[in-house]
Short mmCIF file of all heavy atoms in Angstrom, two decimals:
data_model
loop_
_atom_site.label_atom_id
_atom_site.label_comp_id
_atom_site.label_asym_id
_atom_site.label_seq_id
_atom_site.Cartn_x
_atom_site.Cartn_y
_atom_site.Cartn_z
N VAL R 28 12.86 5.39 -29.45
CA VAL R 28 13.59 6.45 -28.77
C VAL R 28 13.94 6.03 -27.34
O VAL R 28 15.10 5.88 -27.01
CB VAL R 28 12.77 7.77 -28.79
CG1 VAL R 28 13.48 8.86 -27.97
CG2 VAL R 28 12.56 8.24 -30.23
N SER R 67 26.76 -1.79 -21.92
CA SER R 67 28.08 -1.34 -22.36
C SER R 67 28.42 -1.86 -23.77
O SER R 67 28.18 -3.03 -24.10
CB SER R 67 29.11 -1.76 -21.31
OG SER R 67 30.05 -2.60 -21.85
N LEU R 108 2.61 14.11 -24.19
CA LEU R 108 1.55 14.90 -24.84
C LEU R 108 2.05 16.30 -25.18
O LEU R 108 1.71 16.85 -26.23
CB LEU R 108 0.32 14.99 -23.93
CG LEU R 108 -0.48 13.70 -23.74
CD1 LEU R 108 -1.55 13.90 -22.66
CD2 LEU R 108 -1.13 13.24 -25.04
N CYS R 124 -6.61 10.23 -11.98
CA CYS R 124 -6.05 11.29 -11.12
C CYS R 124 -6.22 12.68 -11.73
O CYS R 124 -6.35 13.65 -11.01
CB CYS R 124 -4.55 11.06 -10.92
SG CYS R 124 -4.16 9.55 -10.07
N LYS R 134 -5.20 18.52 -26.01
CA LYS R 134 -5.83 19.49 -26.90
C LYS R 134 -4.88 20.64 -27.22
O LYS R 134 -4.70 21.02 -28.38
CB LYS R 134 -7.10 20.03 -26.22
CG LYS R 134 -8.04 20.74 -27.15
CD LYS R 134 -9.37 20.96 -26.47
CE LYS R 134 -10.28 21.71 -27.43
NZ LYS R 134 -11.47 22.20 -26.78
N VAL R 143 -5.95 2.12 -24.26
CA VAL R 143 -5.38 0.77 -24.39
C VAL R 143 -6.05 -0.21 -23.42
O VAL R 143 -6.05 -1.41 -23.66
CB VAL R 143 -3.85 0.80 -24.17
CG1 VAL R 143 -3.26 -0.60 -24.13
CG2 VAL R 143 -3.18 1.60 -25.28
N GLY R 156 -17.33 6.18 -36.22
CA GLY R 156 -18.39 6.61 -37.13
C GLY R 156 -19.69 7.00 -36.45
O GLY R 156 -20.66 7.34 -37.11
N VAL R 162 -25.39 8.21 -28.04
CA VAL R 162 -24.99 7.18 -27.07
C VAL R 162 -25.83 7.31 -25.80
O VAL R 162 -25.87 8.37 -25.18
CB VAL R 162 -23.48 7.32 -26.71
CG1 VAL R 162 -23.11 6.38 -25.56
CG2 VAL R 162 -22.63 7.03 -27.93
N ASP R 205 -6.27 -5.83 -8.07
CA ASP R 205 -7.34 -4.83 -8.24
C ASP R 205 -8.54 -5.43 -8.98
O ASP R 205 -9.66 -4.92 -8.86
CB ASP R 205 -6.83 -3.63 -9.04
CG ASP R 205 -5.98 -2.68 -8.20
OD1 ASP R 205 -5.93 -2.84 -6.97
OD2 ASP R 205 -5.36 -1.77 -8.79
N SER R 206 -8.33 -6.47 -9.76
CA SER R 206 -9.46 -7.12 -10.43
C SER R 206 -10.25 -7.94 -9.41
O SER R 206 -11.48 -7.98 -9.47
CB SER R 206 -8.98 -8.03 -11.56
OG SER R 206 -8.33 -7.26 -12.53
N LYS R 228 -24.04 8.35 -14.70
CA LYS R 228 -25.26 7.54 -14.81
C LYS R 228 -25.28 6.72 -16.10
O LYS R 228 -26.02 5.74 -16.22
CB LYS R 228 -26.50 8.45 -14.79
CG LYS R 228 -26.82 9.01 -13.43
CD LYS R 228 -28.22 9.63 -13.45
CE LYS R 228 -28.53 10.37 -12.17
NZ LYS R 228 -27.65 11.57 -11.99
N ARG R 292 -23.97 -11.37 -15.34
CA ARG R 292 -24.72 -11.14 -14.10
C ARG R 292 -24.48 -9.72 -13.59
O ARG R 292 -23.50 -9.08 -13.96
CB ARG R 292 -24.38 -12.15 -13.01
CG ARG R 292 -22.93 -12.58 -12.95
CD ARG R 292 -22.72 -13.61 -11.85
NE ARG R 292 -21.95 -14.73 -12.31
CZ ARG R 292 -21.15 -15.45 -11.52
NH1 ARG R 292 -21.04 -15.18 -10.24
NH2 ARG R 292 -20.47 -16.46 -12.02
N ILE R 331 -0.34 -6.16 0.02
CA ILE R 331 0.80 -6.93 -0.52
C ILE R 331 1.84 -7.18 0.58
O ILE R 331 2.40 -8.26 0.67
CB ILE R 331 1.41 -6.19 -1.74
CG1 ILE R 331 0.43 -6.22 -2.92
CG2 ILE R 331 2.76 -6.82 -2.14
CD1 ILE R 331 0.86 -5.39 -4.12
N VAL R 343 -10.27 1.23 4.07
CA VAL R 343 -9.25 2.28 4.20
C VAL R 343 -9.50 3.38 3.17
O VAL R 343 -9.47 4.58 3.49
CB VAL R 343 -7.83 1.68 4.05
CG1 VAL R 343 -6.79 2.78 3.88
CG2 VAL R 343 -7.49 0.80 5.24
N PRO R 353 -10.71 18.71 2.56
CA PRO R 353 -11.43 18.99 1.30
C PRO R 353 -10.70 20.01 0.42
O PRO R 353 -10.92 20.04 -0.80
CB PRO R 353 -12.78 19.54 1.74
CG PRO R 353 -12.82 19.48 3.22
CD PRO R 353 -11.50 19.03 3.75
N VAL R 365 -2.36 17.98 -8.10
CA VAL R 365 -2.67 16.54 -8.15
C VAL R 365 -1.64 15.77 -7.34
O VAL R 365 -1.97 14.88 -6.55
CB VAL R 365 -2.71 16.04 -9.62
CG1 VAL R 365 -2.77 14.52 -9.68
CG2 VAL R 365 -3.90 16.65 -10.36
N ALA R 376 -3.71 7.50 4.41
CA ALA R 376 -3.93 6.05 4.31
C ALA R 376 -2.90 5.30 5.15
O ALA R 376 -3.24 4.35 5.87
CB ALA R 376 -3.86 5.60 2.85
#
Side-chain angles (χ1 to χ4, degrees):
V28 175
S67 120
L108 290 172
C124 297
K134 196 168 178 191
V143 173
V162 172
D205 283 350
S206 297
K228 286 193 188 65
R292 37 181 133 150
I331 291 173
V343 168
V365 169

